[in-house]
Amino acid sequence: MDKHFHPRTNQVADKIREYLFGQTLVPGACLPPERELSQKFELSRLTLRKILADFEAEGLITRIPNKGTFFSLERVPQNVSRLTSFTQDMQRRNMVSNSIILKAGKFKANPSLCDKLGIAPTEGVFLLRRLRLANKLPMAIEDCFLPEKLAEQIKPEIQDDFSLYKTLQTQLGIFPAKATQIIEVCTLNAEERKLLGKICPPAALFIRRTSGDKNGTIFEYVESKYRGDRYFLTMDLTQE
Ligand code: 16G
């Protein structure tokens, strides 16, 4: 807290902190309006704003011009040296994973995409586009391209709680063994930002993954956009 505040302001700031953060926090939720807070704590809007600026500097809240003030969200670590699925990653963090299926159907693929999947240009490609959620909050948009032949076998399973990796393993005996991943920073377009939530910053992680089984047969090519404010990447390094 700002040491230059008047002692009474410091006391009120503590009360506001208790009031806002003492209750069950819903990350990403909107704070009560400034008017309501200033009336409740008998503060001028100017003093309240100074207090909120302090909370923001501490990373407790995020203020977005013209949108409001929100409880900040925790970042989750993503170990990019391990070949895991979204569902596994969330389970490991005790978060409940879920998806909103945005598209699940045949995709008009170009030769380069078929090449990535290791299939002939005449073979069909299936697109599974999902908004991936953790504890009901949007984390990433994932475009998963699968050879149509493979997708046909798992299509009936595609629901909100569908795990591709789990289904491949349990139903088809396909075990993800090796993947190549490229990570870049990208800017989200308006539609993507709408899907990822109103406090989502415009910068995201753009991850492309090509995965295969132990025989080297490719089963997916995935383009994902991960929210820039929800992730940090970790990796295990070894000396050559
Ligand atoms: C992860 C993978 C993605 C895979 C998905 C399966 C990255 C960048 N991507 O999101 O390639 O298709 O998990 O998840 O990590 P699921 O088994 O939960 O459907």
Side-chain angles (χ1 to χ4, degrees):
M1 180 50 58
D2 191 329
K3 301 282 181 302
H4 306 296
F5 278 164
H6 186 276
R8 183 182 113 76
T9 310
N10 276 338
Q11 273 172 14
V12 183
D14 286 344
K15 278 198 187 136
I16 299 179
R17 183 191 295 269
E18 214 170 281
Y19 173 72
L20 292 177
F21 304 101
Q23 43 200 318
T24 317
L25 247 181
V26 184
C30 203
L31 254 71
E34 278 184 11
R35 195 178 357 97
E36 193 183 307
L37 289 175
S38 58
Q39 272 169 11
K40 186 171 171 63
F41 292 96
E42 296 171 358
L43 281 178
S44 72
R45 294 282 276 271
L46 190 71
T47 312
L48 176 72
R49 282 195 191 135
K50 281 186 191 159
I51 293 172
L52 293 180
D54 254 32
F55 289 171
E56 190 174 26
E58 286 177 52
L60 298 172
I61 57 172
T62 310
R63 288 207 276 184
I64 302 184
N66 305 322
K67 290 206 171 135
T69 307
F70 303 86
F71 292 104
S72 295
L73 298 162
E74 267 176 74
R75 279 176 193 265
V76 293
Q78 172 74 10
N79 190 320
V80 287
S81 355
R82 306 224 173 95
L83 180 50
T84 51
S85 73
F86 184 86
T87 306
Q88 286 171 319
D89 288 341
M90 295 309 138
Q91 272 169 356
R92 203 162 289 152
R93 294 177 200 128
N94 294 320
M95 293 170 110
V96 179
S97 66
N98 218 320
S99 304
I100 294 173
I101 314 286
L102 303 169
K103 188 173 166 35
K106 200 173 160 68
F107 181 77
K108 204 177 170 307
N110 57 29
S112 134
L113 182 59
C114 293
D115 196 46
K116 286 190 177 85
L117 285 170
I119 58 173
T122 47
E123 285 182 59
V125 173
F126 186 92
L127 167 62
L128 174 59
R129 176 165 232 241
R130 288 181 287 178
L131 179 65
R132 314 279 339 231
L133 313 171
N135 289 352
K136 298 192 181 156
L137 292 173
M139 299 292 275
I141 302 169
E142 230 174 49
D143 279 345
C144 179
F145 301 94
L146 302 154
E148 202 180 8
K149 265 193 218 152
L150 177 67
E152 283 305 324
Q153 301 175 67
I154 54 174
K155 221 165 113 185
E157 305 294 322
I158 300 175
Q159 314 276 345
D160 292 358
D161 60 352
F162 170 74
S163 164
L164 174 67
Y165 281 18
K166 192 170 163 219
T167 308
L168 287 176
Q169 292 172 34
T170 55
Q171 301 208 0
L172 304 177
I174 298 174
F175 289 84
K178 209 168 181 284
T180 306
Q181 200 158 276
I182 300 170
I183 304 171
E184 291 172 77
V185 171
C186 72
T187 308
L188 298 166
N189 63 33
E191 188 200 337
E192 291 163 342
R193 285 188 78 186
K194 215 167 155 188
L195 286 168
L196 288 170
K198 57 180 166 186
I199 65 162
C200 178
L205 294 166
F206 178 44
I207 310 185
R208 286 175 276 168
R209 186 191 276 191
T210 312
S211 324
D213 65 9
K214 63 177 185 325
N215 304 317
T217 308
I218 293 161
F219 61 83
E220 68 166 2
Y221 167 68
V222 188
E223 291 188 348
S224 325
K225 291 188 178 167
Y226 280 74
R227 281 176 65 144
D229 60 341
R230 298 304 318 271
Y231 282 94
F232 63 92
L233 306 179
T234 68
M235 55 207 87
D236 307 314
L237 308 177
T238 48
Q239 202 166 39
E240 277 192 301

